[in-house]
Amino acid sequence: MLKGIYPGSFDPVTFGHLDIIRRSSALVDELIVGVLNNNAKSPLFSVEERVRMLKEVTKNMPKVRIVPFEGLLVEFARETGAGMIIRGLRAITDFEYELQMAQTNHKLEAGIETVFLTTGLEYSYLSSTTVKEVAAFGGDISQFVPKTVIGKMQEKMNKKESVDNEQPH
Ligand code: ADP
């Protein structure tokens, strides 16, 4: 049974991520979406919230399992018995970092291969960071993220606004 891991922050999950999830799950028997629990990145959403949103948007994909992880990716791959790491490539700017990561991971664990899927053209501009920026300024993010995520983003932004308003001026 071929298991693949698609790791990332997914803060929040976008249509670009979903496109990679859909396409890569066709290549494996089981796709584990690994949600990185890394507070150093100060994510907008907690790992539990990111896992919940991913579960909701992939609930009709039987091959997909959403699992939080921290620490070394190859260690997580070993624990879950996955032989393949899947990453998405948007532009040349992604390439250098991704190549370095793939080579490092291959050195750490020669039995695990990294496979790259190129982004669907309609999503090549899309990143979680951009989505957060647009939402922070009240822009429409419905072209970028699933409905569930829009609601969660609005809740976050409202909460942030009320906290900001509480700060003494
Ligand atoms: P990270 O914090 O590791 O960059 P992300 O959650 O931003 O994680 O992305 C996870 C993976 O999904 C990465 O391989 C990234 O290149 C890919 N990805 C992100 N956005 C898109 C997109 N719009 N199209 C294709 N792949 C994407």
Side-chain angles (χ1 to χ4, degrees), residues 6-10 16-17 20 41 87-90 94 98 119 123 126:
Y6 175 38
S9 306
F10 306 104
H17 295 130
I20 299 287
K41 272 196 168 180
R87 296 285 288 175
L89 279 182
R90 279 164 291 193
D94 281 340
E98 293 293 342
T119 175
Y123 306 121
L126 192 51

Side-chain angles (χ1 to χ4, degrees), residues 47-155:
V47 72
E48 293 80 12
E49 290 172 314
R50 286 179 274 141
V51 165
R52 233 176 288 136
M53 285 188 278
L54 273 159
K55 281 192 174 162
E56 175 63 29
V57 297
T58 59
K59 64 181 178 210
N60 295 324
M61 301 182 195
K63 282 190 192 173
V64 176
R65 199 149 62 89
I66 313 295
V67 183
F69 80 102
E70 49 195 358
L72 269 186
L73 177 59
V74 288
E75 197 52 53
F76 177 56
R78 224 179 273 144
E79 279 164 21
T80 49
M84 192 197 277
I85 293 169
I86 292 147
R87 296 285 288 175
L89 279 182
R90 279 164 291 193
I92 194 77
T93 40
D94 281 340
F95 183 75
E96 208 169 323
Y97 172 74
E98 293 293 342
L99 181 68
Q100 203 176 17
M101 281 306 298
Q103 286 171 337
T104 308
N105 286 335
H106 199 74
K107 276 273 178 218
L108 293 172
E109 183 63 65
I112 300 174
E113 295 291 351
T114 301
V115 171
F116 294 104
L117 293 190
T118 50
T119 175
L121 271 185
E122 64 273 45
Y123 306 121
S124 57
Y125 63 91
L126 192 51
S127 74
S128 299
T129 307
T130 324
V131 170
K132 283 181 278 195
E133 277 170 8
V134 173
F137 292 110
D140 177 10
I141 55 169
S142 59
Q143 302 174 59
F144 312 141
V145 297
K147 268 210 181 82
T148 337
V149 177
I150 300 179
K152 298 285 172 218
M153 285 293 279
Q154 271 159 356
E155 280 171 29

